[in-house]
């Protein structure tokens, strides 16, 4: 199920969603974004070779991405889950997820810069 189009099309993060999820606490927002960025790197590294647990890892990333408002990452992770279940286009889905994570991490880095 695709995530709702809450964020502007050109933004990898829905900051209004993030603010609602963190009750407007700017420090918590930054902490959550930093944690998500680190987790995304770890999960992508673990999925790199599409091991047997890649579907579960994609599912975990999907949930985390939805929590912080990284809906493009969540949608790409869901697509990878589906590709793994069906056995079709797994490499393509993984590449799309990598791209979405890269864009989200770049946006997070820009937000976290002092």
């Amino acid at each position: 199920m695709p995530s709702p189009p809450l964020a502007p099309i050109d933004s990898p993060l829905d900051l209004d969603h993030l603010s609602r999820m963190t009750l407007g606490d700017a420090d918590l927002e930054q902490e959550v974004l930093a944690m998500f960025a680190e987790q995304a790197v770890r999960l992508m590294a673990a999925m790199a070779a599409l091991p047997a647990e890649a579907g579960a890892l994609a599912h975990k990333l999907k949930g985390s991405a939805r929590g912080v408002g990284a809906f493009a990452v969540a949608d790409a992770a869901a697509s990878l889950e589906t590709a793994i279940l069906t056995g079709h286009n797994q490499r393509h889905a993984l590449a799309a997820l990598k791209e979405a994570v890269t864009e989200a991490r770049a946006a997070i880095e820009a937000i976290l810069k002092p």
Side-chain angles (χ1 to χ4, degrees), residues 1 4 14 26 28 36 39-40 78 85 89 105 114:
M1 174 175 183
D14 182 340
L28 182 57
F36 173 74
Q39 179 191 43
L85 286 173
N89 299 318
R105 289 191 68 239

Side-chain angles (χ1 to χ4, degrees), residues 42-62 77 80-81 84-85 90 94 97:
R42 285 193 313 274
L43 292 174
M44 291 305 299
M47 283 187 272
L50 289 171
E53 65 274 5
L57 296 170
H59 184 78
K60 185 175 190 173
L61 182 56
K62 177 178 71 176
L80 178 57
E81 277 187 285
I84 290 168
L85 286 173
Q90 294 176 26
L94 180 62
L97 179 56

Side-chain angles (χ1 to χ4, degrees), residues 56-113:
L57 296 170
H59 184 78
K60 185 175 190 173
L61 182 56
K62 177 178 71 176
S64 296
R66 285 185 177 153
V68 301
F71 294 118
V73 173
D75 291 345
S79 293
L80 178 57
E81 277 187 285
T82 300
I84 290 168
L85 286 173
T86 63
H88 300 302
N89 299 318
Q90 294 176 26
R91 295 280 175 203
H92 175 51
L94 180 62
L97 179 56
K98 285 179 184 177
E99 182 178 335
V101 166
T102 298
E103 290 174 5
R105 289 191 68 239
I108 290 169
E109 185 178 309
I111 291 168
L112 297 180
K113 278 187 179 175

